[in-house]
Amino acid sequence: MARALIGRTVRRLRQEKGLAQQALAARLGISASYLNLIEHDQRAVTATLLIKLTEALQVDIAALSGMREKAIETGLREVLSDPLLGLEQVPEEEIGTLAGSTPNAARAMLALYRAWRVAREDSGGIALPTGRKILLPTEEARDFFHDRSNHFAELEAAAEAIAAEMGVTAPSEMNHAVAQRLRQTHGLVVTVTALPGALRRYDPVGRRLDLSETLPRESRGFHLAFQLMLLEAGDAVQAAMSGFEPSSTEAGQLIRIGLLNYAAAALLMPYGPFLAASRELRHDVEALAARFGVSFEQACHRLTTMQRPGGAAQRGVPFFFLRVDPAGNVGKRLAAAGFPFARFGGSCPKWIVHQAFATPGTLRVQLAQLPDGGTFLCFARTVHGVAQRWGEPPPVYVVAMGCDISRATEVVYGDGLDLEKAMVGIGLSCRLCDRMDCRSRAFPPLEHRLALDPMVASDAPYRFEPPRRRALPGGG
């Protein structure tokens, strides 16, 4: 029997039954003062009295053992000792009181902590007992590219050297030149055929490269370029990863594949010509894609890499990039241009990213203003994959980009927009947004109290009050 918890357990069960101390004491045949001492753990409980308690409270003996409260107490001790909470040491008496007197609230606290730990591990990595931190491979790869502003001079140089060797002078010649180099220099047999479950398959022993017949022309060209960089840009990829130690084999492979994709894009869309064309066409993505023989999404990706050091003449407009599926899952994300993506949960339903699904194939434009006043010119369009068989819905995504409003005049999508009046107020996510009059809100904000009034029907899903500020020490 856990004597330290039996009193609190008795008090909790009595209160749950709606019994006063006097009433329970009468059923037990003891005085109310004696019961009060038991409930404050100042008197032991005899075996006979324990049996009477189970009968009076209509519970089994396990409910009085304190084991459930003991488990909660252990969990609370672990939670409250987490240094990231920034708490001073919580006295054992307080932990015991919380576990024994309000177990439902304590269990809710433990559930919230577990949810927070999952989110923290997903974003910041999982700490092993040795202290080594392991990130989820996808998050580690995403952070690798973000931390380097998605620009790799080593890969740009390698792509430029290969293009110079091939003697390519026009974008329209690139796909043919790449295919020819694969055949003549590397002895590859390139075929377009049925590839169930795959888009590209390389056999290094048989020197054979198969491409799926379902791939559109621009995607075939990209896979050819990827294959060439796989064979020739290994040293450049290694140099781009110099000084970086991935936490797992999977993370390292994801990053290498991402770097090879980057190198392939750099080959098909050389930095200098692409930067010049983006300025000439004022960042019209569809026109850029047509000029370089690539897809809309490939051109969007390449625009995010135009951040070569060396002054404004060498750098393009900083764009953020996002690819999202109809369920709101973010598959790709590059947080350039100062746009603060929400790391967890859904994004704002008023953002153009979600509206673009309603107009497939049509490019949508929006001036989006965040609660802090930051304003961005955003544009988005759906892109479709290829269904593998009849009856299977093809994958569909929205690719979205944006730049700070200060660069809007450099982008064709800003033409004709009233840069002062056409603002649409958005938030990072409903739980983090404190806009009072949003009719698209899915959840109330975390730091606000709901304002519930049966006499008023609001046109917004939730009405809430501004958060109450805590008084500063000393009456400030």
Side-chain angles (χ1 to χ4, degrees):
M1 180 65 59
R3 177 183 173 186
L5 286 175
I6 182 66
R8 291 191 292 271
T9 302
V10 170
R11 182 169 65 251
R12 175 180 59 80
L13 290 172
R14 173 179 64 76
Q15 292 172 343
E16 290 177 356
K17 297 293 182 180
L19 294 173
Q21 274 190 342
Q22 185 69 44
L24 180 57
R27 294 184 184 184
L28 297 174
I30 59 176
S31 66
S33 59
Y34 190 83
L35 177 59
N36 184 61
L37 293 174
I38 291 175
E39 290 187 352
H40 286 83
D41 294 315
Q42 295 179 16
R43 289 290 185 276
V45 178
T46 64
T48 300
L49 186 56
L50 183 62
I51 298 299
K52 290 182 178 181
L53 278 168
T54 61
E55 294 174 349
L57 296 172
Q58 297 179 337
V59 296
D60 58 32
I61 197 167
L64 288 170
S65 67
M67 295 303 295
R68 183 177 64 171
E69 285 81 0
K70 191 69 175 177
I72 294 174
E73 183 179 356
T74 301
L76 288 173
R77 189 176 295 110
E78 178 183 1
V79 168
L80 296 173
S81 63
D82 191 324
L84 288 183
L85 295 181
L87 299 175
E88 296 181 358
Q89 184 174 2
V90 179
E92 289 292 323
E93 293 78 11
E94 291 187 20
I95 295 176
T97 299
L98 181 59
S101 302
T102 56
N104 291 332
R107 281 194 295 270
M109 185 183 204
L110 295 178
L112 285 171
Y113 179 78
R114 284 193 296 270
W116 176 65
R117 280 288 300 270
V118 169
R120 190 178 79 190
E121 290 169 356
D122 283 352
S123 62
I126 302 172
L128 298 178
T130 60
R132 184 187 176 204
K133 204 176 198 181
I134 295 182
L135 292 172
L136 294 179
T138 51
E139 290 295 330
E140 185 169 355
R142 184 176 294 174
D143 290 344
F144 175 87
F145 287 91
H146 177 268
D147 292 344
R148 290 154 182 80
S149 300
N150 197 32
H151 181 83
F152 299 89
E154 304 90 344
L155 301 181
E156 299 286 354
E160 289 172 355
I162 292 172
E165 288 182 16
M166 293 190 301
V168 178
T169 58
S172 59
E173 302 172 359
M174 184 61 73
N175 284 356
H176 176 74
V178 170
Q180 188 175 26
R181 188 176 179 95
L182 286 171
R183 294 188 184 100
Q184 295 180 353
T185 304
H186 300 283
L188 261 64
V189 176
V190 181
T191 61
V192 178
T193 185
L195 284 180
L199 299 176
R200 174 181 55 86
R201 182 174 291 123
Y202 170 52
D203 178 5
V205 177
R207 312 303 294 172
R208 180 185 178 93
L209 176 65
D210 293 330
L211 300 179
S212 172
E213 61 189 8
T214 64
L215 286 171
R217 178 181 177 278
E218 61 269 17
S219 295
R220 292 179 189 178
F222 192 87
H223 281 287
L224 288 173
F226 179 93
Q227 185 64 46
L228 184 61
M229 302 315 273
L230 178 64
L231 295 170
E232 298 192 15
D235 290 343
V237 168
Q238 197 62 36
M241 295 184 66
S242 177
F244 176 77
E245 291 293 333
S247 66
S248 67
T249 302
E250 294 86 350
Q253 282 289 72
L254 274 176
I255 292 170
R256 288 185 180 89
I257 291 172
L259 290 172
L260 288 170
N261 281 325
Y262 183 107
L267 182 64
L268 296 176
M269 296 167 275
Y271 192 98
F274 192 81
L275 179 61
S278 66
R279 289 171 174 167
E280 174 196 343
L281 299 172
R282 300 186 58 238
H283 306 90
D284 184 332
V285 179
E286 291 169 322
L288 282 167
R291 177 170 296 187
F292 287 87
V294 297
S295 71
F296 180 86
E297 183 174 351
Q298 290 162 7
C300 286
H301 262 291
R302 188 56 171 151
L303 280 174
T304 68
T305 67
M306 299 285 106
Q307 297 300 309
R308 176 176 286 175
Q314 295 292 317
R315 302 170 71 91
V317 173
F319 287 102
F320 69 76
F321 173 91
L322 184 77
R323 193 181 80 171
V324 63
D325 69 13
N329 301 306
V330 176
K332 299 178 181 179
R333 181 180 66 215
L334 293 169
F339 191 89
F341 290 112
R343 192 149 190 143
F344 308 108
S347 55
C348 179
K350 295 167 65 178
W351 196 18
I352 195 69
V353 171
H354 307 292
Q355 298 173 20
F357 282 108
T359 54
T362 301
L363 193 139
R364 303 283 296 268
V365 180
Q366 181 185 64
L367 286 177
Q369 188 173 62
L370 294 168
D372 65 0
T375 306
F376 298 83
L377 174 66
C378 305
F379 51 95
R381 202 199 80 177
T382 56
V383 296
H384 294 77
V386 179
Q388 292 294 318
R389 62 181 184 279
W390 167 252
E392 175 184 309
V396 59
Y397 307 94
V398 160
V399 169
M401 295 188 72
C403 65
D404 189 88
I405 193 174
S406 63
R407 309 296 295 268
T409 56
E410 302 174 55
V411 183
V412 68
Y413 306 120
D415 291 353
L417 294 178
D418 188 326
L419 299 184
E420 294 183 358
K421 297 181 180 178
M423 306 292 183
V424 175
I426 69 168
L428 293 182
S429 69
C430 290
R431 294 196 185 278
L432 300 177
C433 177
D434 57 4
R435 294 187 184 278
M436 302 287 290
D437 57 350
C438 179
R439 294 188 295 171
S440 301
R441 180 179 291 281
F443 306 101
L446 290 174
E447 295 186 356
H448 295 64
R449 295 173 60 90
L450 285 174
L452 305 175
D453 186 352
M455 308 303 291
V456 177
S458 174
D459 61 349
Y462 298 96
R463 297 178 67 242
F464 47 88
E465 302 171 353
R468 298 177 181 175
R469 298 190 179 276
R470 297 179 181 177
L472 297 175

